[in-house]
Amino acid sequence: MKSVCVYCGASFNGDQELALAVEDLAKVLTSEAIDLVYGGGSVGVMGLVADAVMNRGGKVTGVIPQFLLDLEVAHREVTQLIVTENMHQRKKNMADLSDGFIILPGGFGTLEEFFEVLTWLQLGLHNKPIGVLNVGGYYDSLFQQLDVMVERGFLKLENRELVINEKTPEELLRKMKAFHVQPDGTWLKERNLT
């Protein structure tokens, strides 16, 4: 794993547990020479993650659409800043540049990005691990909802288990590295996940 895409909020609520988790994540990524790919913002949790990785000497690639660049929320100090025409190109670029995905606390945009790459994994469109860094139980209710979806027959248990849910960056990354799906998607098909 050479690069990880981190999806997270453009806001930050001041939660010190989250701030410490971001620092721990940056420490783990940089100690293993894993590059950060993220949404290119200088604000919120996005800015915290980028700064934490850069402060440890890590490589950071930000991907931001032109309209957000025009609003001056881009992080101009990152290693590489890629400007796209729109949000769709942004998400495609971020996914293409990454060997895995980590979800931190965030809002609608974070959830939308999470479920998009998760759906792509379910359908065999990529074979990259997806991990949720569940800081302070932020996503506990979301995982409960996934369980309800399984119980009521709208989500297969095999698909529910595609998401790695951990509270520490070290354990999350360890499990992400152990995750394996055949590049041609045969593991998904053999387990009837599509």
Side-chain angles (χ1 to χ4, degrees):
M1 189 174 294
K2 296 179 181 178
S3 61
V4 168
C5 177
V6 173
Y7 295 129
C8 55
S11 299
F12 176 57
N13 61 1
D15 180 356
Q16 287 309 299
E17 184 178 5
L18 176 54
L20 290 172
V22 165
E23 288 295 330
D24 288 345
L25 177 60
K27 184 190 301 182
V28 171
L29 293 178
T30 56
S31 70
E32 301 200 24
I34 297 173
D35 297 340
L36 170 67
V37 177
Y38 85 116
S42 61
V43 296
V45 179
M46 280 199 295
L48 292 177
V49 171
D51 288 341
V53 171
M54 288 189 302
N55 289 342
R56 293 182 176 278
K59 181 180 175 187
V60 176
T61 298
V63 184
I64 193 165
Q66 184 66 53
F67 80 92
L68 288 178
L69 184 74
D70 293 342
L71 293 174
E72 307 226 3
V73 296
H75 200 311
R76 309 260 182 188
E77 314 301 315
V78 295
T79 312
Q80 179 182 23
L81 186 65
I82 298 171
V83 181
T84 64
E85 290 182 23
N86 55 53
M87 293 290 281
H88 295 293
Q89 288 177 355
R90 176 199 214 181
K91 291 187 296 180
K92 182 181 182 328
N93 272 296
M94 291 170 71
D96 289 347
L97 291 169
S98 305
D99 299 321
F101 306 92
I102 293 177
I103 290 80
L104 290 174
F108 284 153
T110 303
L111 288 178
E112 186 265 338
E113 291 164 331
F114 167 44
F115 280 112
E116 182 171 62
V117 293
L118 180 56
T119 302
W120 291 351
L121 176 59
Q122 173 187 326
L123 296 174
L125 299 177
H126 72 79
N127 64 342
K128 302 171 184 181
I130 300 170
V132 172
L133 186 55
N134 196 1
V135 181
Y138 184 81
Y139 286 112
D140 286 354
S141 296
L142 178 63
F143 282 104
Q144 290 170 1
Q145 178 59 41
L146 296 181
D147 292 338
V148 168
M149 293 162 73
V150 171
E151 290 167 13
R152 298 196 184 180
F154 286 96
L155 178 65
K156 293 179 181 177
L157 181 60
E158 293 88 355
N159 292 341
R160 163 70 174 80
E161 293 174 347
L162 289 174
V163 182
I164 301 163
N165 177 18
E166 287 297 330
K167 295 179 181 176
T168 68
E170 296 83 4
E171 187 63 12
L172 183 66
L173 199 60
R174 184 189 70 75
K175 287 186 176 179
M176 288 177 69
K177 285 181 172 183
F179 181 89
H180 183 71
V181 177
Q182 297 296 326
D184 63 359
T186 54
W187 184 84
L188 292 171
K189 292 173 187 166
E190 289 170 6
R191 294 198 47 197
N192 195 28
L193 300 180
T194 58

